[in-house]
Amino acid sequence: MDYLLTEEQQMIRDLARRIADEKVVPVRAELDEKEEFPWDIMKVLAQSDLFGLFIPEEYGGLGKGSFELCIAVEELSRACVGVSTTYAANALGTYPILLHGSDEQKKKYLPDIAAGKKLVAFGLTEANAGSDAGGIQTTARLEGNEYILNGTKQWITNGGEADIYTIIALTDKSKGPRGASAFVVEKGTPGFTFGKKENKLGIRSSVTRELVFDNCRIPKDNIIGRDGIGFLVTMKTLDKSRTGVGAQGVGVAQGAFEEAVKFARQRHQFGHPVISFQAVQHMLADMAMQIEAARSLVYSVARFIDSGAKEMSKESAMAKAFATDVGMKVAVDAVQIMGGAGYMREYPVEKMMRDAKILQIYEGTNQIQRNVIGQEIIREAAKKK
Ligand code: COS
């Protein structure tokens, strides 16, 4: 389908696809097997200016929006969701600074992020605060000109590899979520260390690690926005980033679909290529329809966000849930079409299936997305009354 990309958007797609085909596809199985962080690929993305896509020109970026970021994320995901997660989580971690940071913070951090010199991670989740993001326990106590952080963040993408961390912590425990604030914490700050590295089902080249804060002192000025708006910063950040997770769903679905078509043309059974059987054609037809529907939704929502929309929770949640459910379904169906071969490590679809699962879980499970959509439906209905 023609999505009427501008010449520039098409160039971004071509660039990201070339990097995916030439640099990611040849190494993805090995990165997955060895759980190796894709630094070499990150360097190529940096040299190609793709880290600066969504960062304003005044801070050294290309000044593009969610749409262009989604295109790049989709193309990388078509090759490897482990790699695209590393890249997309960088944007997730940057959004708090971009959306609520001071001009000084933007000047200090964004140029290095745009140049791909420094990688970012977002630290919200804790052992007892996953879907219930308001239940975090990490604290930040103000003492003189410093905040002192204590607590442990769990399952943090890019943990240990990133240089810059945007961290959500409670400045006033008695207020619950309304007592949360957001901070920038730099790697190497005394009292900030890295704990357990997770061994995962999929996205194994993406690193997932604990962040441990033990009387970690950071300058008072590292607060993002003001005291008490940490939950809002979190929600606005997730509203912006969830469409990108949807783009990952579209990308992995596209990658798995292409593998299934290629295989079904080559594989002969009963004297015919299996693609000639209607049972297989119908599966491929459903996959193709679902991919175009997911892509259309993700692109529409990304364009809506870039139009300057202030409220996008419902739309972002729809794009995330729909497109990642499609990503999972199409990856499973690709394995099914390829049969025994699909199940083997020799072919890429078993990895795509393992990778796709996380998309239905992280940045808010798809059940939480449906909660967000449901709450908005109720709000809209109440307004009309
Ligand atoms: N934008 C602005 N404000 C928002 C918001 C949004 N998108 N979503 C919620 N809020 C506000 C609410 O308006 C409410 O404000 P008041 O206290 O002033 O009324 C406050 O935040 C709490 O909202 P709510 O009552 O809906 O929160 P819950 O405790 O029920 O938690 C959340 C629901 C939003 C936390 C849950 O739906 C969610 O998104 N969980 C997943 C978190 C997640 O993605 N974790 C993974 C992150 S790792 S990358």
Side-chain angles (χ1 to χ4, degrees):
M1 211 149 102
D2 186 350
Y3 288 97
L4 307 173
L5 303 193
T6 63
E7 205 173 311
E8 199 176 29
Q9 289 163 348
Q10 191 57 48
M11 275 168 59
I12 292 166
R13 182 188 289 293
D14 293 344
L15 176 64
R17 180 169 291 215
R18 190 156 45 78
I19 293 171
D21 285 341
E22 290 174 8
K23 306 287 180 192
V24 182
V25 169
V27 297
R28 63 185 170 190
E30 191 184 347
L31 293 177
D32 175 68
E33 190 77 28
K34 295 186 179 162
E35 286 191 284
E36 198 175 306
F37 192 77
W39 268 124
D40 288 349
I41 297 166
M42 292 305 121
K43 282 182 193 142
V44 174
L45 295 175
Q47 283 157 6
S48 312
D49 286 338
L50 286 175
F51 275 105
L53 269 187
F54 64 103
I55 293 178
E57 284 170 304
E58 57 180 313
Y59 301 113
L62 297 178
K64 306 294 159 205
S66 291
F67 187 73
E68 287 79 6
L69 185 62
C70 279
I71 290 174
V73 167
E74 178 190 340
E75 290 302 329
L76 293 175
S77 306
R78 179 175 154 268
C80 175
V81 177
V83 167
S84 76
T85 293
T86 305
Y87 174 72
N90 185 74
L92 170 71
T94 306
Y95 280 135
I97 302 173
L98 204 53
L99 297 175
H100 296 274
S102 64
D103 195 40
E104 287 73 39
Q105 287 169 343
K106 289 180 185 174
K107 279 188 188 134
K108 182 171 177 191
Y109 295 111
L110 295 182
D112 280 349
I113 299 171
K117 284 186 191 155
K118 289 191 174 168
L119 201 62
V120 196
F122 181 57
L124 167 68
T125 303
E126 297 180 7
N128 295 314
S131 292
D132 182 9
I136 59 165
Q137 295 293 313
T138 295
T139 54
R141 182 167 49 86
L142 185 61
E143 197 179 282
N145 277 330
E146 291 176 325
Y147 279 101
I148 307 170
L149 270 66
N150 279 291
T152 301
K153 295 289 175 182
Q154 184 180 259
W155 299 336
I156 305 306
T157 303
N158 293 347
E161 303 295 334
D163 285 303
I164 300 166
Y165 295 79
T166 47
I167 301 295
I168 312 300
L170 297 177
T171 37
D172 186 345
K173 243 182 153 166
S174 68
K175 290 190 185 157
R178 285 171 189 223
S181 303
F183 300 92
V184 185
V185 185
E186 295 179 32
K187 184 176 178 174
T189 308
F192 174 27
T193 53
F194 304 106
K196 190 171 140 223
K197 187 181 160 199
E198 304 294 342
N199 182 4
K200 307 187 293 294
L201 170 76
I203 58 160
R204 289 166 60 80
S205 64
S206 156
V207 68
T208 313
R209 207 150 171 191
E210 263 178 3
L211 313 180
V212 182
F213 299 97
D214 181 10
N215 286 319
C216 170
R217 290 173 175 268
I218 57 169
K220 191 180 166 194
D221 291 344
N222 281 24
I223 194 163
I224 299 174
R226 52 187 168 74
D227 187 285
I229 64 158
F231 197 71
L232 180 80
V233 172
T234 302
M235 291 301 127
K236 292 287 176 206
T237 292
L238 292 169
D239 283 349
K240 273 285 252 198
S241 72
R242 280 175 176 156
T243 313
V245 185
Q248 289 187 289
V250 175
V252 73
Q254 181 67 37
F257 173 75
E258 288 173 19
E259 292 296 331
V261 171
K262 190 165 72 183
F263 184 87
R265 290 181 70 227
Q266 287 162 2
R267 170 80 169 166
H268 281 67
Q269 289 292 279
F270 307 105
H272 299 281
V274 298
I275 203 163
S276 67
F277 301 126
Q278 206 174 41
V280 172
Q281 287 171 19
H282 283 189
M283 283 179 80
L284 290 171
D286 278 336
M287 290 154 81
M289 276 193 280
Q290 287 157 1
I291 292 169
E292 291 305 349
R295 184 177 284 124
S296 304
L297 181 57
V298 167
Y299 286 8
S300 299
V301 172
R303 282 174 165 145
F304 170 64
I305 292 172
D306 291 339
S307 73
K310 294 268 180 281
E311 296 295 330
M312 61 193 83
S313 308
K314 183 179 79 176
E315 294 78 4
S316 299
M318 284 179 167
K320 195 268 182 188
F322 187 83
T324 62
D325 283 349
V326 165
M328 187 74 245
K329 170 124 189 8
V330 170
V332 169
D333 287 348
V335 171
Q336 187 68 21
I337 287 174
M338 293 175 66
Y343 202 71
M344 301 301 156
R345 294 247 157 143
E346 206 180 322
Y347 292 90
V349 288
E350 61 81 27
K351 173 185 172 301
M352 291 170 173
M353 186 176 87
R354 287 186 283 113
D355 288 351
K357 188 64 214 168
I358 192 61
L359 305 176
Q360 295 178 302
I361 298 171
Y362 68 18
E363 289 192 41
T365 64
N366 283 4
Q367 287 69 31
I368 285 289
Q369 307 307 320
R370 288 171 169 87
N371 285 2
V372 170
I373 297 163
Q375 288 300 319
E376 199 52 42
I377 292 170
I378 294 169
R379 249 191 296 276
E380 284 166 7
K383 264 194 231 159
K384 280 185 196 146
K385 251 177 116 184

